[in-house]
Amino acid sequence: MRVLLIGANGYLGRYVADRLLADPAVQLTALGRGDDADVRFDLASGSPGALTRFLDAVHPGVVVNCAGTTRGGARDLTRHNTVAVATVCESLRRSSCGARLVHLGCASEYGPSQPGSSTAEDAVPRPGGPYGVSKLAATELVLGSGLDAVVLRVFSPVGPGTPAGSPLGRLAEAMRRAMQAGDNELKLGGLGVQRDFVDVRDVARAVHAASLSAAQGVVNIGTGHAVRLREAAALLARVAGFGGSLHELDTPPGYAGGGPAAARLAIPGPASEHGTVPPAYPYPDGCGSWQQADVRTARDRLGWRPRIGLEESLADIWMEAACRI
């Protein structure tokens, strides 16, 4: 089976590439903007015609799209998350290869959900920010393309390679700084957020399974269990061997319950002449205080279940943070 992987050098794409390369039946070709790609092509600016000619020449049986961005303004998000997918879909429609499309979506497409609930694939999407809007538009393009296609809606990916600017990446970095400085107290805020954390290597397994399956439509990829960020912080402290205390900052007035502050993580910044000011960083997915996946479709249609627990994922995040200079 020849697979064309788009976005192989990204956070998720690297592990998808590793998983596919481990299958001796897969012949993998990587397409992307970086120098390490087998073929250099920018989906956001390249023409569907050029990509079609490449598809006809390579003739893949499966196209996996892991490309996209989580940062930038609405224009950049639209270019890289929506326009790029429109190019992929149009190219596949024009091509004679008849390839199956496996597209990575995200749980931000759903937006906020009711605390205690599990979000199934038939939930009405109500994205809470421009990132989720751009990803939802891409999913709608895939579903309306008429292609043999499946969209994997990935919940909160964690594990090795977790970006340092992500909430769990910032937690690990703050803990590393505290231990390096000999601080016995780590001040954190916004730890009431609850997310369904799924390891990136389990996501890669899901992509592999989806490539071999006949499943179409949307399939959630998560664990089915929401974990409070406070609990993740305590677990990270344990695997890191942090012997100090985690001091949770008070929630600012007016942000109780599921409001904006429920989706914020604050880590003390450098001290100034007026003392240490803890800046608040918004949780990046726009999903409010709670999100948990209903993963029955992945089990039933892909034969997939998560295997890697959060403790192992956090241990890998800590290992990378601890080695950072």
Side-chain angles (χ1 to χ4, degrees), residues 270-325:
S272 69
E273 60 181 348
H274 302 295
T276 298
V277 180
Y281 299 94
Y283 205 96
D285 58 12
C287 294
S289 62
W290 169 276
Q291 199 171 56
Q292 177 176 282
D294 183 326
V295 294
R296 288 175 294 179
T297 300
R299 179 195 63 201
D300 297 342
R301 298 175 66 188
L302 301 182
W304 175 90
R305 286 182 174 85
R307 294 177 180 172
I308 299 175
L310 183 57
E311 183 170 356
E312 182 176 344
S313 303
L314 290 172
D316 289 328
I317 292 175
W318 171 250
M319 184 65 68
E320 292 181 344
C323 293
R324 195 173 297 128
I325 299 176

Side-chain angles (χ1 to χ4, degrees), residues 6-8 43 64-69 80-81 84-85 103-104 135:
I6 304 172
L43 288 176
V64 177
N65 182 34
C66 297
T69 186
H80 293 289
N81 294 340
V85 173
H103 172 69
L104 264 64
K135 293 293 288 184

Side-chain angles (χ1 to χ4, degrees), residues 69-315:
T69 186
T70 59
R71 297 182 177 183
R75 183 186 297 272
D76 286 337
L77 291 169
T78 300
R79 280 185 65 235
H80 293 289
N81 294 340
T82 310
V83 174
V85 173
T87 298
V88 173
C89 291
E90 181 60 24
S91 301
L92 282 168
R93 278 197 298 264
R94 295 182 188 182
S95 173
S96 62
C97 70
R100 172 172 172 78
L101 175 60
V102 179
H103 172 69
L104 264 64
C106 70
S108 295
E109 299 172 37
Y110 288 122
S113 56
Q114 186 68 29
S117 66
S118 292
T119 303
E121 290 84 356
D122 59 358
V124 177
R126 293 187 177 87
Y131 171 66
V133 170
S134 69
K135 293 293 288 184
L136 177 60
T139 290
E140 295 298 335
L141 285 169
V142 172
L143 297 180
S145 66
L147 300 168
D148 174 15
V150 61
V151 176
L152 303 183
R153 273 195 179 137
V154 180
F155 277 63
S156 298
V158 295
T162 293
S166 69
L168 289 179
R170 284 199 299 270
L171 275 172
E173 178 60 18
M175 201 164 289
R176 184 192 69 80
R177 291 199 309 263
M179 293 175 71
Q180 191 175 42
D183 293 338
N184 292 321
E185 184 180 70
L186 183 57
K187 296 181 179 180
L188 304 166
L191 299 183
V193 177
Q194 296 181 73
R195 288 292 180 270
D196 190 332
F197 296 110
V198 58
D199 193 274
V200 290
R201 292 157 293 192
D202 281 333
V203 174
R205 287 180 43 250
V207 172
H208 187 208
S211 300
L212 300 173
S213 79
Q216 295 186 333
V218 175
V219 179
N220 288 340
I221 302 299
T223 66
H225 301 285
V227 176
R228 198 177 299 273
L229 201 55
R230 181 182 304 117
E231 297 168 10
L235 188 55
L236 180 63
R238 186 162 74 245
V239 299
F242 178 65
S245 61
L246 299 178
H247 177 69
E248 188 167 357
L249 301 171
D250 292 336
T251 301
Y255 289 111
R264 290 179 179 270
L265 166 66
I267 296 174
S272 69
E273 60 181 348
H274 302 295
T276 298
V277 180
Y281 299 94
Y283 205 96
D285 58 12
C287 294
S289 62
W290 169 276
Q291 199 171 56
Q292 177 176 282
D294 183 326
V295 294
R296 288 175 294 179
T297 300
R299 179 195 63 201
D300 297 342
R301 298 175 66 188
L302 301 182
W304 175 90
R305 286 182 174 85
R307 294 177 180 172
I308 299 175
L310 183 57
E311 183 170 356
E312 182 176 344
S313 303
L314 290 172

